[in-house]
Amino acid sequence: MNPPRGTSVPTLARALGILLACVLLGACAGLQRQPPAASAPDAASFDYERDGMLQLLAGQFALQANDVGSAARHFTLAAAQSGDPAVAEEATRLALATRDWPLARQALSRWQALAPADRGILQARAWIALGEQDSAAAEADLTSLVQAGDETGWRLAAQALLGAGDPRLATGLLDRIATDSHLGKKEASWIAVSQLAFKLDDKALAERLARRALARFHGSESYAWSARLALDRGDRKSAVALYGEALKRDPANRRLRGAYAALLAEDGDDSGAARVLGQGPQDDVSWSARAAYLARAGDDKALARLYDEIAAAPAPRSGRSLYLLGQLAEMLDQRKAALDWYAMIPQYDERWFDAQIRRAVVLGQTQETEQALVLVRRLEQLAVGDRERLAGTYLLEAELLTQRDRFGEARAVYSRALQALPEDADIIYARALFEITHGDLAAGVRDLRQLVALKPDNAEALNALGYTLADHARSGDPALEEAGKLIGRAIELKPDEPAIMDSMGWWHYRMGDIDAALPLLRAAWKQQPDAEIAAHLGEVLWRKGEHAEARRIWQQGRDQDADNPVLLETVKRLAP
């Protein structure tokens, strides 16, 4: 950029220096200035490199433009003119970031001259040595950093090792400097260095350091870190045992309890996970997690005990606690209590709207349909502007009406909902299922086709349309071929989804290929033993002549949902 006409370069530099002084006061305070000349030199004789302020400004502009290499060069030139070690340190770190080792050495030399006792100099020297593959020099500087065994020294050493371009060189050096005396007397330091080895991808070294920490301290953190290493190598049994030992030493540690509970739950022991979380002090978070684990375990007795525990906790109760009490009361079929808990949540609480939705649901279950409808319609008015909440209120209103066989009113709600939210996938899907269930197959298929057009990669929409076509088409109908393509695309998107496997199995059956249908239906039933899959699997088994197994599957389906219409129709048709 050329200076304005009539302005000499030195004058411009001084003007820029005044601006920079407001931004970089600390750095500029140490800049060395040349004595004023008798007369201003011309532009040809001006030495840009010796104008420290100009170099600092150029460095800042380069950083703003994300040009770290140029910034490093400008800061290094500025450091040569400055007595401020912070400028030299910044120049060094910028050069390290660009892995320009000669420039880094130049900047480091100035930093060392200005602040020889700064421990960061040892880190920078080690960083450069690592970059230049000088193992001996790097080890000497890293050893100097960590020999006191303090946290700061190890933090500086860790940063240098993580910045090394050669992980094997870094972990080899770490193995040599991680002596007992250097690691010190704090368990946390030993664990941190083991974690550093893990980050450097030397899991064997991480394991050795973890074992040494465990033997030395026998502390909860050592056991917990060893458990995580056991998980990483796939030894879940050891991980469970190690987490158990960690909790024995620190039973009130919520983080340990949460990790141990999650591990137990992943192994299918949801009740055990809830028991672990039940140890020690409790709060809304632990109560909610325990409720989730117990609900998944289907342990109604334990849920009842948890409900009594939370209800007995002293007031005041948070909105989260009141909402959880309402949910637990619903699970325990205490609907009156659930309504009372939800009603206690103040309107300013973030859970108030969801609590009112739950109130409407419970009122519908207790035959208070009109009261439920009044509430949900008021919520519709409050939800204007919030698409997700508004859609939810419309869906609930339609469901409440459907439950009371008020199908015309429910259909009108779906129409009103789609006028307000014309491309809402959930509403389109719900109306499609409503129409198919209540006899208007063409309308339902139209909705599903619209949904697939809106969301061509939505596996659920593809599956719903494909299944509907397959279930209602006759042999030789072109719709069967289209159904296979739709379900095939859905299974590509979600190959392990039981509902889609069930649809594909049912499509094969409708195509007359029982041998292809059976393994898919068995796999779907194994993953999700629900009543509709039971109906399909049982029918295929029945057609193969395996009547005893078909009846057993149907009975298991009844145990899940005795009123499922698909299952009831299948059994009535085949084995009345």
Side-chain angles (χ1 to χ4, degrees):
M1 180 176 67
N2 294 321
R5 183 173 298 176
T7 305
S8 69
V9 174
T11 302
L12 176 62
R14 284 194 295 273
L16 290 174
I18 293 170
L19 173 63
L20 183 63
C22 299
V23 182
L24 302 170
L25 284 173
C28 294
L31 290 172
Q32 298 174 354
R33 294 188 177 277
Q34 302 300 317
S39 60
D42 59 27
S45 66
F46 179 67
D47 188 350
Y48 293 95
E49 292 190 358
R50 291 179 62 80
D51 191 312
M53 287 185 179
L54 188 57
Q55 293 301 329
L56 275 176
L57 183 60
Q60 287 292 326
F61 286 162
L63 282 178
Q64 291 174 11
N66 292 320
D67 186 352
V68 181
S70 293
R73 290 190 293 275
H74 287 302
F75 268 87
T76 300
L77 289 170
Q81 307 302 318
S82 173
D84 186 352
V87 178
E89 178 181 357
E90 182 67 9
T92 304
R93 300 205 179 282
L94 289 170
L96 290 173
T98 61
R99 306 182 72 80
D100 187 338
W101 310 126
L103 186 64
R105 285 192 177 280
Q106 182 182 341
L108 178 60
S109 176
R110 182 62 177 163
W111 183 12
Q112 190 164 356
L114 295 172
D118 195 324
R119 295 176 78 184
I121 292 168
L122 289 172
Q123 183 199 48
R125 280 204 325 232
W127 209 314
I128 294 169
L130 284 164
E132 295 178 339
Q133 301 285 300
D134 189 343
S135 177
E139 184 174 354
D141 287 322
L142 290 170
T143 300
S144 297
L145 277 173
V146 303
Q147 62 186 357
D150 65 307
E151 180 180 341
T152 299
W154 271 109
R155 176 175 53 79
L156 294 171
Q159 289 170 350
L161 290 167
L162 287 169
D166 185 347
R168 287 192 298 177
L169 173 61
T171 54
L173 287 168
L174 179 60
D175 196 8
R176 291 198 291 276
I177 66 174
T179 64
D180 288 8
S181 60
H182 290 164
L183 289 168
K185 299 180 179 180
K186 292 184 178 180
E187 181 184 17
S189 297
W190 289 65
I191 301 304
V193 175
S194 175
Q195 291 170 342
L196 172 61
F198 190 85
K199 288 179 182 178
L200 290 168
D201 205 28
D202 191 336
K203 295 181 180 180
L205 177 57
E207 292 273 6
R208 291 198 301 273
L209 288 166
R211 285 195 296 269
R212 284 164 57 192
L214 195 59
R216 185 182 183 96
F217 297 101
H218 297 286
S220 62
E221 292 300 322
S222 295
Y223 277 105
W225 173 239
S226 296
R228 290 179 61 186
L229 289 174
L231 277 177
D232 180 73
R233 64 176 182 268
D235 187 354
R236 300 183 70 84
K237 182 177 180 180
S238 293
V240 169
L242 287 162
Y243 267 125
E245 290 296 325
L247 274 176
K248 287 179 184 177
R249 288 155 178 79
D250 191 3
N253 189 313
R254 296 183 181 186
R255 178 176 54 82
L256 284 181
R257 293 208 318 269
Y260 187 28
L263 180 58
L264 291 173
E266 287 171 11
D267 285 342
D269 188 3
D270 292 308
S271 295
R275 283 195 300 273
V276 167
L277 289 177
Q279 302 170 14
Q282 298 294 299
D283 58 16
D284 290 346
V285 175
S286 60
W287 281 331
S288 296
R290 287 168 62 191
Y293 285 135
L294 291 172
R296 197 158 66 182
D299 192 339
D300 291 342
K301 291 183 178 178
L303 280 170
R305 291 193 296 271
L306 177 61
Y307 174 72
D308 291 340
E309 176 187 333
I310 302 171
R317 295 186 175 92
S318 68
R320 181 171 183 171
S321 175
L322 291 167
Y323 191 75
L324 178 58
L325 283 164
Q327 289 178 303
L328 288 170
E330 281 195 71
M331 292 180 197
L332 298 168
D333 290 328
Q334 298 183 26
R335 295 190 177 94
K336 174 61 170 63
L339 290 171
D340 291 341
W341 291 121
Y342 291 138
M344 291 182 195
I345 298 175
Q347 190 162 358
Y348 60 78
D349 190 275
E350 63 180 343
R351 292 168 185 81
W352 178 83
F353 192 93
D354 292 338
Q356 301 312 301
I357 290 289
R358 294 311 309 165
R359 284 186 64 214
V361 170
V362 175
L363 286 168
Q365 293 169 345
T366 57
Q367 309 300 313
E368 299 290 344
T369 303
E370 292 306 319
Q371 189 177 346
L373 289 169
V374 168
L375 175 56
V376 79
R377 286 164 183 162
R378 183 162 70 91
L379 293 175
E380 284 173 15
Q381 296 173 352
L382 294 174
V384 172
D386 187 324
R387 295 182 62 87
E388 185 176 351
R389 282 183 168 177
L390 183 59
T393 57
Y394 281 132
L395 290 171
L396 178 54
E397 182 182 4
E399 178 62 23
L400 288 168
L401 291 165
T402 301
Q403 289 172 357
R404 295 292 170 264
D405 296 336
R406 294 160 64 172
F407 303 134
E409 292 176 73
R411 186 175 283 107
V413 170
Y414 283 124
S415 297
R416 181 160 47 89
L418 286 170
Q419 287 177 352
L421 302 169
E423 294 188 352
D424 187 278
D426 291 337
I427 296 174
I428 296 171
Y429 185 76
R431 187 174 74 170
L433 297 187
F434 171 86
E435 296 292 9
I436 291 167
T437 302
H438 295 94
D440 195 340
L441 177 64
V445 169
R446 281 197 304 272
D447 278 341
L448 290 175
R449 289 194 185 282
Q450 180 189 0
L451 186 56
V452 169
L454 286 171
K455 296 184 175 293
D457 289 329
N458 184 294
E460 286 74 20
L462 291 162
N463 181 58
L465 179 56
Y467 172 78
T468 301
L469 294 175
D471 195 44
H472 291 85
R474 295 183 178 182
S475 178
D477 191 329
L480 275 173
E481 182 177 351
E482 181 187 3
K485 292 178 180 178
L486 290 163
I487 301 169
R489 175 58 181 151
I491 214 163
E492 286 177 5
L493 293 166
K494 290 191 174 181
D496 298 322
E497 176 61 41
I500 301 176
M501 286 191 287
D502 172 63
S503 295
M504 182 58 82
W506 191 242
W507 176 78
H508 279 296
Y509 173 67
R510 299 286 292 170
M511 292 290 289
D513 191 347
I514 290 179
D515 290 335
L518 193 55
L520 284 163
L521 292 170
R522 285 193 187 278
W525 171 256
K526 183 177 181 180
Q527 287 193 46
Q528 184 176 302
D530 71 18
E532 190 159 341
I533 296 176
H536 294 156
L537 175 57
E539 179 161 344
V540 173
L541 289 167
W542 188 271
R543 295 300 185 190
K544 281 182 68 70
E546 299 177 17
H547 293 179
E549 186 178 2
R551 290 183 186 278
R552 179 175 60 81
I553 295 294
W554 285 333
Q555 184 56 53
Q556 291 176 3
R558 286 194 193 96
D559 293 341
Q560 297 289 329
D561 182 2
D563 298 323
N564 183 273
V566 176
L567 179 57
L568 291 175
E569 185 278 330
T570 300
V571 174
K572 182 179 180 181
R573 173 166 45 86
L574 296 176

